[in-house]
Amino acid sequence: MIEIDGNRLNARIDAFAAIGATQKGGVNRQALSEGDRQARRLLAELGAARGFSIVQDPMANLFIRRSGRQDNLPPLLIGSHLDSQPSGGRFDGALGTLSALEVLESLEDAGIETDRPVVVVAWTNEEGCRFAPGCMGSMAFASGRIPPEWETKLATDGAPFVGELAATLESLPMADMVGLGFPVHAYLEVHIEQGPSLEASDIPIGVVGGIQGTRWLDVTVTGQTAHAGTTALAYRRDPLRALTAALSSLYETVMPADPDARFTIGRITVEPGSVNAIPEQVRCTVDLRHPDQGRLNDLEQRVASMIATEADRQRCSALISRSFDMPPCTFSNVLQQAIELAAKDRNLKSASMLSGAFHDALFVNRVAPAAMIFVPCRDGLSHNEAEYVEPRHAVAGCEVLAAAALRLAGNA
Ligand SMILES: [Zn+2]
């Protein structure tokens, strides 16, 4: 058993929330900004003060390393991110990163030697709001390279990515440089749920089984524009009628038939968009999500065939293309079991669940077994300055992380 210091953890969460603090109690610590650099510096200083080694890679992913008995074994990696949304909460990311640091310090306090090294990570730019896409740090780590097209990226405030990355790297002169990507034994990440289900069921620990897949489609249905007053039904080729019929039937069937499916139409445009003309063309986006790749394929098929059928019926043509495709990720069973056992050891109730949002663990999972521990947040609120995690829940997440980490890092 390893005892964590819950007061120290919650005091650290407060200390980091002061960096980039906003009026309403949240944080604005966007990726590679001065606030982000300050938070990274504080994390590195806290680690260095305990004698841990401080390392960063060319994407400015920051690593705090505690040696193991067999120090050349691939390490257990634990952590999350320190960057935030522009009006973000103080727990999203920081909770997981500081819980990981707390585990490292608790191991040190108790004089526990682990077989493997244990490494805390703060990934660069998880949020993807100042520079898109999100999860750039973990993505580059998993692929072992920085995509060349990132070099010309500009921030939403106009700052060049390359310059901001260089300044961030330079702001940590005490850190040794390591290449992108290294062998990892396993990766664990604590994160707030960012949804309401744990709080609603009064369960402190979510064992995350995976992250649902997302697929975006662009749909175009083309007919023939004509006079609204003079064109009788038999002469109409109305693409809006075709699209609305298809969508109405999809709304009736997709989500009601499968509680894990998500089907959202977020944008529709109609051309020429004239009050007294039958439309020539309608376009819409489709956002499909499902934890199972096969079901995601089925859903895409269903959308395509329904739209084709209704387009046919109105003597229109339909064109569908994918604009984004993120396959579902399934986390390691072994790690999920380790988390479950750790919760049991601590007498904490846990429940299996899926993540609706992306996380760095999705990318790390491509190169090493990964899993996540969710803790409840008030009203399911996140990406909001009012985001709140009860101190006892922060402590619970950290205790489970510590117990699972000890199991995985080996302590023979
Ligand atoms: Zn996050």
Side-chain angles (χ1 to χ4, degrees):
M1 205 78 135
I2 159 178
E3 289 305 324
I4 64 132
D5 182 340
N7 292 331
R8 178 169 59 192
L9 172 64
N10 283 302
R12 292 266 160 79
I13 292 171
D14 289 344
F16 276 75
I19 305 173
T22 60
Q23 296 283 340
K24 293 182 192 160
V27 290
N28 178 4
R29 212 166 47 222
Q30 294 182 67
L32 307 179
S33 67
E34 186 44 44
D36 190 19
R37 278 169 219 155
Q38 265 183 51
R40 289 161 38 84
R41 221 152 32 220
L42 178 55
L43 186 73
E45 282 163 6
L46 291 169
R50 296 303 303 257
F52 306 138
S53 31
I54 312 300
V55 177
Q56 61 183 344
D57 70 16
M59 257 312 287
N61 295 314
L62 173 59
F63 304 96
I64 317 280
R65 185 181 193 279
R66 181 174 188 263
S67 299
R69 203 177 284 133
Q70 292 168 266
D71 209 32
N72 49 3
L73 286 179
L76 172 70
L77 195 60
I78 53 178
S80 190
H81 59 98
L82 287 172
D83 66 308
S84 83
Q85 291 282 320
S87 50
R90 43 163 60 198
F91 299 95
D92 178 358
L95 175 68
T97 310
L98 298 175
S99 295
L101 178 67
E102 178 55 40
V103 170
L104 226 56
E105 294 205 73
S106 301
L107 287 170
E108 191 69 13
D109 291 342
I112 296 172
E113 265 192 287
T114 52
D115 294 336
R116 295 174 181 279
V118 181
V119 174
V120 172
V121 58
W123 300 110
T124 297
N125 188 27
E126 191 275 344
E127 295 293 353
C129 45
R130 186 168 180 238
F131 296 97
C135 298
M136 281 169 89
S138 51
M139 202 184 295
F141 181 88
S143 68
R145 61 191 271 276
I146 298 179
E149 63 270 21
W150 288 4
E151 278 166 30
T152 52
K153 249 179 214 313
L154 296 179
T156 45
D157 49 43
F161 169 71
V162 171
E164 292 292 79
L165 179 62
T168 303
L169 289 168
E170 281 161 20
S171 72
L172 269 190
M174 84 257 257
D176 288 329
M177 197 59 144
V178 62
L180 261 177
F182 49 78
V184 169
H185 174 62
Y187 174 66
L188 290 177
E189 178 169 356
V190 171
H191 206 278
I192 64 168
E193 184 196 346
Q194 304 184 290
S197 71
L198 289 174
E199 185 187 47
S201 48
D202 197 24
I203 292 176
I205 299 295
V207 183
V208 186
I211 300 181
Q212 65 184 352
T214 302
R215 199 168 286 176
W216 290 351
L217 308 176
D218 284 326
V219 175
T220 306
V221 184
T222 307
Q224 188 176 50
T225 188
H227 197 291
T230 60
T231 317
L233 198 53
Y235 296 94
R236 289 185 179 227
R237 296 173 54 206
D238 185 343
L240 186 57
R241 186 171 171 202
L243 184 68
T244 50
L247 294 184
S248 156
S249 146
L250 290 164
Y251 280 125
E252 296 287 323
T253 53
V254 172
M255 285 179 62
D258 181 348
D260 289 333
R262 299 286 180 272
F263 167 77
T264 306
I265 308 299
R267 190 187 308 146
I268 293 189
T269 55
V270 178
E271 288 159 34
S274 164
V275 65
N276 55 359
I278 295 162
E280 173 82 17
Q281 194 166 67
V282 293
R283 296 168 200 269
C284 76
T285 55
V286 182
D287 178 310
L288 286 174
R289 302 190 190 215
H290 203 285
D292 181 89
Q293 178 79 354
R295 291 284 300 126
L296 202 54
N297 291 338
D298 291 347
L299 291 178
E300 180 178 4
Q301 201 60 52
R302 179 114 64 94
V303 168
S305 78
M306 190 63 74
I307 289 173
T309 303
E310 294 298 335
D312 238 28
R313 187 169 290 167
Q314 303 304 326
R315 296 181 297 131
C316 296
S317 61
L319 203 71
I320 299 182
S321 61
R322 279 187 199 171
S323 62
F324 179 72
D325 185 23
M326 175 71 77
C329 120
T330 306
F331 288 142
S332 150
N333 274 325
V334 174
L335 296 199
Q336 290 178 61
Q337 277 161 19
I339 296 167
E340 265 167 35
L341 281 173
K344 211 172 254 170
D345 285 350
R346 292 289 175 167
N347 279 321
L348 292 163
K349 265 200 273 179
S350 70
S352 295
M353 59 190 306
L354 288 167
S355 171
F358 298 169
H359 291 286
D360 291 306
L362 188 157
F363 295 95
V364 186
N365 191 54
R366 293 176 181 178
V367 290
M372 295 185 76
I373 300 163
F374 275 0
V375 297
C377 54
R378 190 166 62 199
D379 299 329
L381 211 58
S382 183
H383 287 189
N384 186 311
E385 291 163 272
E387 185 183 271
Y388 181 72
V389 173
E390 284 185 40
R392 67 185 173 109
H393 287 148
V395 170
C398 186
E399 281 179 336
V400 170
L401 176 67
L406 197 55
R407 201 180 287 272
L408 293 164
N411 170 230

